Amino acid sequence: MFGDRPRTSGVRRMSAPAQLRHFIGGDWRPSETERWIPDVNPSDAEDVLASVPAGTSEDVRAAVAAAAGAYPAWRALSGPARSEYLYNWASAIGERREELAQLLVREVGKPVGEARGEVARCVTILRYYAGDAVRPIGDLIPAQAAGALQYSIHQPLGVVALITPWNFPVAIPLWKAAPALAFGNTVVLKPAEASSRCALALAETAAAAGLPRGVFNVLLGAGGDVGMPLVEAPDVRAVSFTGSGAVGALVAAAAAKRNIRYQTEMGGKNVAIVLPDADLGLAAGLTAAGAMRYAGQKCTATSRVVVAREVEAPFLAELRARVAALPLGPVTDPAAAIGPVISKHSQDAIRRVLGEMDAECIYTGEVPASNEFARGYFVSPTIVRGAAADSALAQRELFGPVLASFTAGDLDEAIAIANATPYGLSASLFTRDLASALRYVDRIEAGMVRVNGDTTGVDPHAPFGGMKSSSSGTREQGPAAQQFYTEIKTVQINP
Ligand code: NAD
């Protein structure tokens, strides 16, 4: 079991939330921390799922020691043997598919349809990397010396630290852990505090699949208390981080100082461009969904739209109608498409930006005054127009259901507006014109680019990552993962 009722003395309600335990070396290990963080259902703040330990340096030491201890035997296994474990893990998740989806709904406020999609993606990810574990791990290279055998092999790095956000609480941990394990590394996962239960559910499925002890560890806790000490732990040879730009910069600096490999995948200010020849119904529907579903809390959510002047009025009218048709509600309601934001802190921060903005509000949805809504962290879906180019609405990632609309005279102006932020994660263009599409694909500064599709998501086997401040320049998923989780050894054998 991953949770204990509180062990501390004093008066507590019978329903006091369970104190979560780390998953270290295959055991559920309690923390000696003094500080506990409530894990709250964002649709209903009175529903506290658990207490998360802030964590201690001893917890970090134990997790890294377990991963380091398991490394030699895991590394020594053949690729096909590791592959078998990953297939079994996929099956163990598949067996608990619906239960896991419901946990995502409750812990991070993800609408149930999207939660089911995320769990299904986990199964796909594990199967993909189970396949990768049996594909070639090097090249045969002609040698200058006659008769010599020269080749390269990809070898594992050792213990890798994975630091993850709450918004894709099972898919992101797995799209890091699966390739790390497939190529022979062992893992310490440090999930976001707000998605601790989801991370422990992954640990349960790993244990059910029979993964050897210590190969996959979950270290719970606060970023400052355990995240940074994990990056600084001597046995950690690489860190893969996904989260905000501010924390990513700290992680990158600490990893660079130790000369260990790192990747930091961070935020976005993702943009859709709508040209005069676009299918306006398609563009409005996908922009509304990209901006508002899951309350705009995907890293690839559409937070800006740049519209050609000729079609601005009809497009915005259609967009307002499409946003109004997306149900806002506690995600326990299966019809809800938008849901709450993750926390009171996030709700307050978004409302503050909206309260101080100097732009025209062209749509604001209503959050009903009923008790049901008062207990959750809801923000009105909002569309604004005419925000200044240097304003928070144009530049900052708000991570909420807020879309800023801008006007452009032609494609080049639209691309210039689109590129005028520090971010470069994802972008989309709506047009029927091939030449415009090709020019945009060439000029847009984003790691993931679509034509006539929304900005969110990417196939689980295609490279994922951003340009500029959205990423440290590496990519995740697909073949890109092998580059990150292995290092190349060049071998020459002379007769
Ligand atoms: P966050 O940066 O607050 O936290 C991310 C992780 O870092 C958490 O596990 C947190 O505990 C940890 N952390 C916090 N402080 C730390 C420190 N000092 N040292 C080490 N670790 C620390 O981000 P979040 O709120 O959990 O997630 C939202 C952010 O993630 C958004 O900016 C979003 O765009 C981004 N994101 C990016 C991608 C992508 O692939 N580019 C995907 C999903 C989310």
Side-chain angles (χ1 to χ4, degrees):
M1 263 300 292
F2 58 67
D4 265 355
R5 293 287 154 198
R7 289 169 293 118
T8 47
S9 59
V11 181
R12 287 196 189 251
R13 289 181 302 146
M14 282 297 286
S15 58
Q19 290 186 333
L20 297 183
R21 296 176 172 202
H22 308 289
F23 181 70
I24 294 179
D27 293 323
W28 300 102
R29 183 188 160 104
S31 175
E32 295 303 322
T33 187
E34 305 270 289
R35 204 159 69 81
W36 294 84
I37 304 156
D39 185 1
V40 173
N41 176 348
S43 291
D44 177 0
E46 288 176 12
D47 176 23
V48 181
L49 282 76
S51 289
V52 180
T56 65
S57 51
E58 175 52 25
D59 298 337
V60 177
R61 194 207 56 74
V64 174
Y71 176 62
W74 183 251
R75 179 190 194 280
L77 284 182
S78 67
R82 289 197 295 264
S83 170
E84 200 61 31
Y85 281 112
L86 295 186
Y87 274 121
N88 290 342
W89 197 359
S91 303
I93 289 178
E95 280 166 21
R96 291 180 57 185
R97 199 178 276 264
E98 183 58 21
E99 180 198 339
L100 284 173
Q102 294 300 335
L103 181 58
L104 266 67
V105 167
R106 186 170 168 219
E107 190 172 33
V108 300
K110 182 162 287 206
V112 68
E114 298 199 39
R116 289 184 180 128
E118 183 173 340
V119 175
R121 188 183 183 108
C122 290
V123 174
T124 308
I125 288 167
L126 282 164
R127 287 183 185 151
Y128 176 89
Y129 286 109
D132 245 17
V134 297
R135 277 192 268 273
I137 53 162
D139 294 312
L140 193 59
I141 305 162
Q144 284 184 337
L149 173 64
Q150 181 164 261
Y151 60 96
S152 65
I153 40 173
H154 284 263
Q155 292 199 310
L157 303 169
V159 176
V160 300
L162 312 178
I163 301 180
T164 55
W166 52 267
N167 65 336
F168 285 85
V170 286
I172 292 180
L174 272 186
W175 83 46
K176 296 178 188 296
L181 294 172
F183 300 123
N185 305 281
T186 54
V187 163
V188 177
L189 166 67
K190 206 305 276 172
E193 300 85 312
S195 57
S196 297
R197 281 278 303 269
C198 286
L200 293 181
L202 283 183
E204 285 187 328
T205 56
L211 255 76
R213 288 170 176 267
V215 158
F216 175 76
N217 304 279
V218 178
L219 171 68
L220 302 174
D225 297 53
V226 299
M228 193 48 76
L230 177 62
V231 177
E232 290 167 346
D235 277 336
V236 167
R237 298 310 314 151
V239 54
S240 178
F241 167 89
T242 300
S244 62
V247 177
L250 294 175
V251 168
K257 201 167 161 196
R258 290 195 49 225
N259 194 30
I260 61 170
R261 188 171 297 188
Y262 67 89
Q263 65 181 177
T264 49
E265 296 301 332
M266 299 167 285
K269 194 71 191 168
N270 311 302
V271 64
I273 298 174
V274 183
L275 295 188
D277 68 340
D279 175 337
L280 294 188
L282 177 80
L286 291 179
T287 303
M292 302 299 170
R293 283 189 175 274
Y294 193 20
Q297 300 173 108
K298 299 172 191 171
C299 53
T300 49
T302 315
S303 55
R304 298 176 297 147
V305 59
V306 184
V307 191
R309 189 164 285 115
E310 299 98 300
V311 292
E312 190 178 27
F315 171 77
L316 291 180
E318 184 68 26
L319 180 68
R320 283 193 290 265
R322 298 298 181 113
V323 171
L326 291 173
L328 170 73
V331 287
T332 39
D333 174 356
I338 299 186
V341 296
I342 188 68
S343 64
K344 176 93 175 71
H345 176 79
S346 179
Q347 183 189 40
D348 289 346
I350 299 163
R351 285 181 172 166
R352 202 173 315 119
V353 169
L354 292 175
E356 291 167 0
M357 74 176 177
D358 186 13
E360 180 192 359
C361 182
I362 59 170
Y363 176 85
T364 180
E366 203 187 327
V367 177
S370 68
N371 221 357
E372 203 189 8
F373 280 83
R375 293 203 306 265
Y377 305 127
F378 294 93
V379 173
S380 307
T382 303
I383 309 173
V384 304
R385 185 173 162 275
D390 61 353
S391 65
L393 284 163
Q395 295 292 332
R396 259 178 45 201
E397 182 188 51
L398 300 181
F399 234 50
V402 179
L403 177 66
S405 177
F406 302 88
T407 316
D410 58 23
L411 175 63
D412 284 353
E413 190 189 356
I415 292 173
I417 295 170
N419 286 342
T421 81
Y423 294 109
L425 189 55
S426 69
S428 64
L429 173 77
F430 293 93
T431 185
R432 293 183 172 101
D433 178 49
L434 182 59
S436 299
L438 292 175
R439 186 168 175 80
Y440 146 88
V441 168
D442 182 51
R443 301 290 168 88
I444 195 79
E445 294 167 351
M448 291 168 302
V449 169
R450 282 191 176 155
V451 176
N452 297 324
D454 76 356
T455 61
T456 62
V458 70
D459 285 355
H461 50 277
F464 185 96
M467 293 182 175
K468 303 196 294 189
S469 297
S470 291
S471 168
S472 50
T474 59
R475 291 289 181 268
E476 299 197 87
Q477 298 197 149
Q482 192 192 49
Q483 298 300 327
F484 183 76
Y485 290 104
T486 61
E487 60 192 341
I488 293 177
K489 189 177 275 176
T490 304
V491 183
Q492 191 180 100
I493 299 176
N494 293 289

